Amino acid sequence: MAKRIAIVGYGNWASTIAKVVGENVQRYAEFDSHVAMWVRPKDINGRTLTDIINEFHENVVYLPSIKLPTNVVAYSCIKDTVKNADILIFATPHQMVQDVCTSIKDHVQSEAVGISLIKGIATKPDGSASAVSDEIRNHLNIDVSVLMGANLANEIAAGEFAEATVGCIHPEHGDMFQRMFDTDNFRINVVRDVYTVEMCGALKNIVACAVGFAEGLRLGSNSKAALIRLGMHEMIKFVETFYPGSDLKTFFESCGLADLIATCSGGRNMKVCRELVQSDKELHEIEKELLKGQSAQGPPTASEIYGILSDVGLEEAFPIFTVVHRICTRQVSPMELVKCLQNHSTHQTVQNRDDASSNSSGVSLE
Amino acid sequence: MAKRIAIVGYGNWASTIAKVVGENVQRYAEFDSHVAMWVRPKDINGRTLTDIINEFHENVVYLPSIKLPTNVVAYSCIKDTVKNADILIFATPHQMVQDVCTSIKDHVQSEAVGISLIKGIATKPDGSASAVSDEIRNHLNIDVSVLMGANLANEIAAGEFAEATVGCIHPEHGDMFQRMFDTDNFRINVVRDVYTVEMCGALKNIVACAVGFAEGLRLGSNSKAALIRLGMHEMIKFVETFYPGSDLKTFFESCGLADLIATCSGGRNMKVCRELVQSDKELHEIEKELLKGQSAQGPPTASEIYGILSDVGLEEAFPIFTVVHRICTRQVSPMELVKCLQNHSTHQTVQNRDDASSNSSGVSLE
């Protein structure tokens, strides 16, 4: 029987992926061409967004001016969206995962498989942090893969080129996801390192915050390149520490290197963090002014990662992740970022320095 | 006896490194504080640049407004510069290496060691290409290490933060080079992968050309991130093919990831290649207009690498390197870059595609 696909989410990225998948499933007998998409029935001048999408095939709120294929059908009820699905695509903000999973828990087919497109860290009710895919796995008791990459949604929706990485344990699911997502202009590579792929998607937002601070401090290109490089080192070290067994090559996939570069070239995290350095305002005020109600993912991710690190006493082993959290929460001055560059733990120690003329900044060389 | 250092080169980067090394040697009894620097006696309003540097301690042509330490002494004669040196720092344009080595060949001490800061590929008299360090090694019969990284010279000269990577086979030389170059704001990591470090420094310029073309074509952020990622893949593959035994970790050092990112965020290669897409002019005309007599290193490097690849029939295995050369020389349209993204050899093949509705661009999926 042809596999039915449901998309849990209706924002910019969810709508973009609905377009990609909606077009792609028509190429394969393997998939049912009907793609269900959960769309909360938000009121738009007296009509619901759900109805508007089904009549005009356009998400006028989150992906305006882009036609969705007519086989993508919006559902107001999240339970109806998922109940017949063999494949669930999760593309909500990470703050919603908990609630979404609770709502659909009793309606998901036991044999269904999931794939998470959510970049971030889930916070459990007890306040502890975990991978979003674990959150979904634990709630729904299904296999969950992930898709991450350098994926600015609007470019993909406009048909421009992008790549992405699918992290998937079972090779047969990997092949299926590749057929679901891969097009000439959206190239998918599949790797088995699920957590590496997922953590790259979350952690790169912290590095983008550091680059935003660097811009606010007017540091040069060498410093920004060093921050991205050292940030990548901390991403690798984090995965090696908390999800051992990763393959270094995965960091060279789109989910790693490419997404890190794209995110550090612009976007919300950079904008908010640049402004944080240049004003006295608190983060939430800056977000309100600059992002019109949207939020940057970097600062909450930095906070969640800081929680994980401090639970095991590893804050100092991840100096950039830690300093980003401390700067975001105004615990330390943004200038601490420069000391973090100078003294980063990956720098090799100079041997036999008989340093009479010690430096003026007083920074120790370990 | 304290080791004497000579700098072969007098441009922007050579002068910057003269400042770093000139200051640093004063911290260690191991080094003679007199640092010799070869400066061709260019005429500046009736005086030579050599004399001006020795009187005013400023390279008014190539590094204006930056004071050099007084222990850096300029020499007009290249033979006099090197004859007493225990350590030779090479920092000329790569086109000059051949001539420089021929001039100093009979004057270099047999026990001297060299370190090359030259990013590029050397062209031998027979037209074949080789690593610059090999060129120096073969001419002078001395050990040659390399120093590469995300190193915009003017930022370093101004005392801003940067990192660099030294590639050095002998650990005792590595420690010595670290003492020579490492400061709080210029952090040096030493690795043993000499050729990997050196090739990164040359090859990243080709990737920057590709990103310049992408800008000229107005491709999006996803495409540019993919180009940088795929460019890094080709850098790794090139080193694995021609200099086997490299360590994947070296590509995460400043010479790899950081320099690639910094170079692809701006600079001459990007500027020239962006313009090449948007005008009908030939490369040399564009360079004349935009760079005021200077040249971009990416196009000649792409040509030299293309020569190496085509000698062994590997052009198609390095699609970005190859297409950059072909676009630079106007053999193919810049739009070939998009096909190169879509069909890059690192993309996994989609299994079991029963593709009835084939795409309009007619690009094969292998």
Side-chain angles (χ1 to χ4, degrees):
Chain A
M1 245 202 19
K3 298 182 188 103
R4 297 194 66 159
I5 298 169
I7 299 173
V8 180
Y10 50 85
N12 185 240
W13 186 212
S15 305
T16 299
I17 218 68
K19 178 172 187 281
V20 171
V21 170
E23 289 171 356
N24 235 7
V25 291
Q26 302 177 42
R27 307 163 85 181
Y28 299 97
E30 170 184 9
F31 301 110
D32 190 311
S33 68
H34 179 102
V35 174
M37 181 182 187
W38 172 51
V39 179
R40 194 168 261 172
K42 185 184 172 89
D43 181 85
I44 312 289
N45 304 324
R47 294 196 66 184
T48 65
L49 180 58
T50 324
D51 288 346
I52 293 172
I53 291 177
N54 286 335
E55 185 173 340
F56 299 101
H57 308 292
E58 182 181 331
N59 187 333
V60 293
V61 178
Y62 298 107
L63 190 63
S65 310
I66 298 289
K67 284 287 161 200
L68 298 177
T70 54
N71 54 317
V72 172
V73 179
Y75 287 75
S76 290
C77 171
I78 194 168
K79 292 163 195 163
D80 289 345
T81 316
V82 303
K83 70 181 181 197
N84 296 314
D86 303 292
I87 303 166
L88 300 170
I89 300 175
F90 293 89
T92 65
H94 75 286
Q95 295 85 347
M96 282 173 62
V97 172
Q98 176 81 22
D99 289 347
V100 157
C101 287
T102 306
S103 314
I104 64 177
K105 201 174 156 65
D106 300 325
H107 306 271
V108 170
Q109 296 192 20
S110 61
E111 298 298 303
V113 296
I115 184 163
S116 167
L117 277 53
I118 302 167
K119 292 176 178 174
I121 300 286
T123 310
K124 296 190 215 163
D126 69 359
S128 68
S130 76
V132 170
S133 70
D134 277 338
E135 196 73 358
I136 301 172
R137 255 175 230 118
N138 295 340
H139 266 89
L140 306 181
N141 199 25
I142 61 173
D143 182 64
V144 182
S145 300
V146 299
L147 180 150
M148 307 276 149
N151 294 156
L152 276 182
N154 289 336
E155 292 181 8
I156 296 171
E160 294 178 40
F161 184 82
E163 298 179 300
T165 314
V166 165
C168 178
I169 290 168
H170 302 292
E172 69 280 16
H173 293 170
D175 290 346
M176 176 186 77
F177 287 130
Q178 209 189 29
R179 290 187 292 273
M180 257 173 70
F181 294 109
D182 189 276
T183 72
D184 288 342
N185 280 320
F186 190 50
R187 297 305 310 256
I188 305 295
N189 274 3
V190 182
V191 301
R192 299 191 64 180
D193 257 2
V194 181
Y195 288 115
T196 305
V197 175
E198 184 169 14
M199 286 300 132
C200 281
L203 298 173
K204 51 106 195 184
N205 285 326
I206 309 180
V207 184
C209 289
V211 177
F213 296 142
E215 292 216 333
L217 291 165
R218 300 183 193 287
L219 303 187
S221 304
N222 297 340
S223 294
K224 282 189 272 180
L227 273 174
I228 297 173
R229 178 186 96 77
L230 294 167
M232 177 64 107
H233 265 270
E234 293 191 19
M235 289 166 59
I236 295 170
K237 190 172 178 178
F238 186 90
V239 173
E240 281 174 352
T241 306
F242 294 97
Y243 301 96
S246 67
D247 183 350
L248 195 58
K249 287 203 190 87
T250 302
F251 294 92
F252 287 110
E253 293 292 336
S254 181
C255 63
L257 180 58
D259 196 11
L260 180 64
I261 289 171
T263 309
C264 291
S265 327
R268 293 184 207 164
N269 293 307
M270 301 241 334
K271 203 186 276 187
V272 164
C273 289
R274 188 167 45 217
E275 182 64 19
L276 193 86
V277 173
Q278 294 177 333
S279 84
D280 293 328
K281 294 179 192 134
E282 294 299 318
L283 192 69
H284 65 94
E285 298 174 89
I286 294 170
E287 284 187 337
K288 204 187 280 176
E289 282 175 25
L290 293 184
L291 305 182
K292 299 171 190 160
Q294 294 191 293
S295 62
Q297 298 285 22
T301 303
S303 166
E304 283 142 1
I305 294 298
Y306 183 80
I308 293 172
L309 294 174
S310 57
D311 277 351
V312 289
L314 281 178
E315 307 95 304
E316 305 310 323
F318 295 85
I320 293 176
F321 291 174
T322 296
V323 85
V324 165
H325 171 64
R326 290 179 175 157
I327 296 171
C328 283
T329 50
R330 300 263 187 222
Q331 294 175 63
V332 301
S333 147
M335 281 302 293
E336 288 296 313
L337 190 71
V338 177
K339 288 192 194 156
C340 176
L341 276 171
Q342 292 174 322
N343 299 314
H344 197 276
S345 48
T346 69
H347 296 318
Q348 292 169 357
T349 307
V350 180
Q351 304 298 313
N352 311 321
R353 179 174 281 192
D354 49 14
D355 202 345
S357 57
S358 101
N359 60 84
S360 57
S361 71
V363 173
S364 103
L365 285 152
E366 296 175 291
Chain B
M1 244 202 21
K3 297 178 187 110
R4 299 193 66 160
I5 298 170
I7 299 172
V8 180
Y10 50 85
N12 185 240
W13 186 212
S15 305
T16 299
I17 219 66
K19 178 173 186 281
V20 171
V21 170
E23 288 170 357
N24 235 8
V25 291
Q26 302 178 42
R27 308 163 83 181
Y28 300 97
E30 171 186 9
F31 302 110
D32 190 312
S33 68
H34 180 101
V35 174
M37 180 182 189
W38 172 52
V39 179
R40 194 169 261 174
K42 186 184 171 90
D43 181 84
I44 313 288
N45 303 325
R47 294 199 65 187
T48 66
L49 180 57
T50 324
D51 288 346
I52 293 172
I53 290 177
N54 286 334
E55 185 174 340
F56 299 102
H57 308 292
E58 183 181 329
N59 187 333
V60 293
V61 178
Y62 299 107
L63 189 64
S65 309
I66 298 289
K67 282 288 159 198
L68 298 176
T70 54
N71 54 316
V72 171
V73 178
Y75 288 74
S76 292
C77 171
I78 195 168
K79 292 164 194 163
D80 288 345
T81 315
V82 303
K83 70 180 180 194
N84 296 313
D86 303 291
I87 304 166
L88 300 170
I89 301 174
F90 292 89
T92 65
H94 74 286
Q95 296 84 347
M96 282 173 62
V97 173
Q98 176 82 19
D99 289 345
V100 158
C101 286
T102 307
S103 313
I104 65 177
K105 203 174 157 64
D106 299 326
H107 307 270
V108 170
Q109 297 194 19
S110 61
E111 298 299 301
V113 297
I115 184 163
S116 166
L117 277 54
I118 302 166
K119 292 175 179 173
I121 300 285
T123 311
K124 296 192 217 164
D126 68 0
S128 68
S130 76
V132 171
S133 70
D134 277 338
E135 196 73 359
I136 301 172
R137 252 174 233 119
N138 295 340
H139 265 88
L140 306 180
N141 198 26
I142 61 173
D143 183 64
V144 182
S145 300
V146 298
L147 181 149
M148 307 277 150
N151 294 157
L152 276 182
N154 289 337
E155 293 182 7
I156 296 171
E160 294 176 43
F161 184 83
E163 298 179 301
T165 313
V166 165
C168 178
I169 290 169
H170 303 291
E172 69 280 14
H173 293 169
D175 290 346
M176 176 186 78
F177 287 130
Q178 209 188 29
R179 290 188 291 273
M180 258 173 70
F181 293 109
D182 189 276
T183 72
D184 289 342
N185 281 319
F186 190 51
R187 297 305 310 257
I188 305 295
N189 276 3
V190 182
V191 300
R192 300 189 64 179
D193 256 4
V194 181
Y195 287 115
T196 305
V197 174
E198 184 169 14
M199 286 299 131
C200 281
L203 299 173
K204 51 105 195 185
N205 285 326
I206 308 180
V207 185
C209 290
V211 177
F213 296 143
E215 293 216 332
L217 292 166
R218 297 184 195 286
L219 303 188
S221 303
N222 297 340
S223 295
K224 282 189 273 181
L227 273 175
I228 297 173
R229 178 186 98 77
L230 294 168
M232 177 64 107
H233 266 270
E234 294 190 19
M235 288 166 59
I236 295 170
K237 189 173 179 179
F238 186 91
V239 173
E240 281 173 351
T241 306
F242 295 95
Y243 300 98
S246 67
D247 183 350
L248 196 57
K249 286 203 188 88
T250 303
F251 294 93
F252 287 110
E253 292 293 335
S254 182
C255 62
L257 180 57
D259 196 11
L260 180 64
I261 290 171
T263 308
C264 290
S265 326
R268 293 183 207 166
N269 293 306
M270 303 244 326
K271 202 185 278 187
V272 164
C273 289
R274 189 167 45 219
E275 182 64 18
L276 194 86
V277 173
Q278 296 176 333
S279 83
D280 293 327
K281 296 180 190 129
E282 295 298 318
L283 191 69
H284 65 93
E285 297 173 272
I286 293 171
E287 285 187 338
K288 203 187 279 178
E289 281 175 27
L290 294 183
L291 304 182
K292 299 168 191 164
Q294 293 192 293
S295 62
Q297 298 286 20
T301 303
S303 165
E304 282 142 3
I305 294 297
Y306 182 81
I308 294 173
L309 293 175
S310 57
D311 277 352
V312 290
L314 281 178
E315 307 94 303
E316 304 311 322
F318 294 85
I320 293 176
F321 291 173
T322 296
V323 85
V324 165
H325 171 64
R326 289 180 175 156
I327 297 172
C328 282
T329 50
R330 299 263 187 222
Q331 295 176 63
V332 300
S333 147
M335 281 303 292
E336 288 295 313
L337 191 70
V338 177
K339 289 193 194 157
C340 176
L341 276 172
Q342 293 174 322
N343 300 315
H344 197 275
S345 49
T346 70
H347 296 316
Q348 293 168 355
T349 307
V350 181
Q351 303 298 313
N352 311 320
R353 177 173 283 192
D354 49 15
D355 202 346
S357 59
S358 101
N359 61 85
S360 57
S361 72
V363 172
S364 103
L365 283 153
E366 295 177 282

